[in-house]
Amino acid sequence: MSTNESRRGFLKAAALVGSGAAIAGTGVLANINGIGSAKADGEPIPIGCITPLTGPGAPSGIEGKNGLEMAIEEINAMGGILGRPLKGYYGDSKNRSADEVVAAANLLIDRHEVHAIINGHNIGSNNAEYDLVADASVMYIHTNTLKQHDEWIENNPGKYPTILMSDPAEFWYGPGFIKFISWLRDTGQWKPQNNIVALVSGSLPYSTTISNAAVTACAENGWEIAWGGVETVTTPTTEWGPILAKLREVNPAAIQNSHFYSGDIAQFMIQFNQNPIDALIYFPWGPLLSAFTE
């Protein structure tokens, strides 16, 4: 069975059994397009995606591109929107700096005249693209996962009505891990070798927010923080020797590493396993990508 056939078959089967997401999407499109008139043959609606297709964030960016392409294909198979198919356009945000993200947004808005932009993480942009997107009245749905987004919207009420972050802020990744290992300890499901937690952070605001939030949670749950605070490494990095030497010296019961890139933290694990210590290890994001496992 081809990929296209399997996706369409999934949608039909999901609709028959009442799968929540699929049935909701099918129902909405049926209401828009009219039952029995599912045919997407008009002028395409351009949909943009700002995503790193090159650079250290490419494993995440390419998966995001694949996801948007799958969604466009499935929506077009159900008649598109108002009889018009969707067409995807992609702006490479490369290292996800403010300049690179703004350049990608300009490309999508000015050259391709996209009606909406949907993408995953561009966590280094510091919301630099927001004014550009808002001025163009383009819908912008992202998963930048930044507390900074929440604060930005709260401090500018009504200014960015078309900009939405579709996931919680990164802040919660830090306390969440500390509360989890505290629960494991307190319920006897895990017996830590000591009372020390090591907090390793990348240099991006995303990483430092997670680590700083974990500091407070450690104090609230009775953990001692190795080195007396957060140990920060430059983002990106693939050489973990110095920080691993420090970790082996303090021998913590748990390690939280909020560094972002999947290839970098895969190198952390490879180098860690050359001389491992008995510690639980937590990464908030990178291991979810296939590039980490590979």
Side-chain angles (χ1 to χ4, degrees), residues 220-281:
E220 293 172 347
N221 290 275
W223 294 99
E224 177 187 347
I225 301 175
W227 315 301
V230 178
E231 188 74 14
T232 301
V233 297
T234 301
T235 302
T237 187
T238 56
E239 178 48 60
W240 293 95
I243 193 68
L244 286 170
K246 291 183 177 181
L247 285 168
R248 290 171 181 132
E249 183 178 344
V250 297
N251 196 31
I255 301 168
Q256 174 182 287
N257 187 339
S258 62
H259 191 72
F260 186 76
Y261 294 120
S262 56
D264 289 3
I265 61 174
Q267 281 299 320
F268 177 93
M269 286 308 308
I270 290 170
Q271 295 167 38
F272 174 88
N273 283 331
Q274 293 171 358
N275 183 18
I277 57 177
D278 184 16
L280 294 182
I281 301 177

Side-chain angles (χ1 to χ4, degrees), residues 58-60 63 262-263 266 286-294:
S60 171
E63 289 194 13
S262 56
L288 294 172
L289 299 176
S290 60
F292 176 86
T293 306
E294 291 165 0

Side-chain angles (χ1 to χ4, degrees), residues 107-275:
L107 171 73
L108 296 174
I109 293 171
D110 293 341
R111 181 183 298 181
H112 300 298
E113 299 181 338
V114 297
H115 294 201
I117 298 173
I118 304 170
N119 49 249
H121 303 80
N122 286 300
I123 59 175
S125 68
N126 296 320
N127 304 340
E129 74 277 23
Y130 278 22
D131 285 331
L132 170 66
V133 172
D135 290 345
S137 298
V138 169
M139 283 299 304
Y140 181 33
I141 303 173
H142 63 76
T143 59
N144 284 351
T145 322
L146 292 175
K147 194 171 187 291
Q148 183 185 58
H149 165 91
D150 296 343
E151 295 168 347
W152 199 278
I153 299 300
E154 183 178 3
N155 293 330
N156 295 276
K159 188 175 181 180
Y160 304 104
T162 64
I163 298 177
L164 304 170
M165 187 167 75
S166 60
D167 61 345
E170 83 289 73
F171 174 90
W172 303 105
Y173 293 161
F177 172 63
I178 302 303
K179 291 178 180 179
F180 176 63
I181 62 172
S182 300
W183 172 73
L184 290 177
R185 175 197 62 193
D186 296 345
T187 57
Q189 299 179 75
W190 172 53
K191 293 182 173 56
Q193 61 174 335
N194 55 43
N195 204 40
I196 301 174
V197 172
L199 302 176
V200 180
S201 176
S203 55
L204 292 177
Y206 166 92
S207 299
T208 56
T209 298
I210 294 172
S211 299
N212 291 337
V215 169
T216 301
C218 283
E220 293 172 347
N221 290 275
W223 294 99
E224 177 187 347
I225 301 175
W227 315 301
V230 178
E231 188 74 14
T232 301
V233 297
T234 301
T235 302
T237 187
T238 56
E239 178 48 60
W240 293 95
I243 193 68
L244 286 170
K246 291 183 177 181
L247 285 168
R248 290 171 181 132
E249 183 178 344
V250 297
N251 196 31
I255 301 168
Q256 174 182 287
N257 187 339
S258 62
H259 191 72
F260 186 76
Y261 294 120
S262 56
D264 289 3
I265 61 174
Q267 281 299 320
F268 177 93
M269 286 308 308
I270 290 170
Q271 295 167 38
F272 174 88
N273 283 331
Q274 293 171 358
N275 183 18

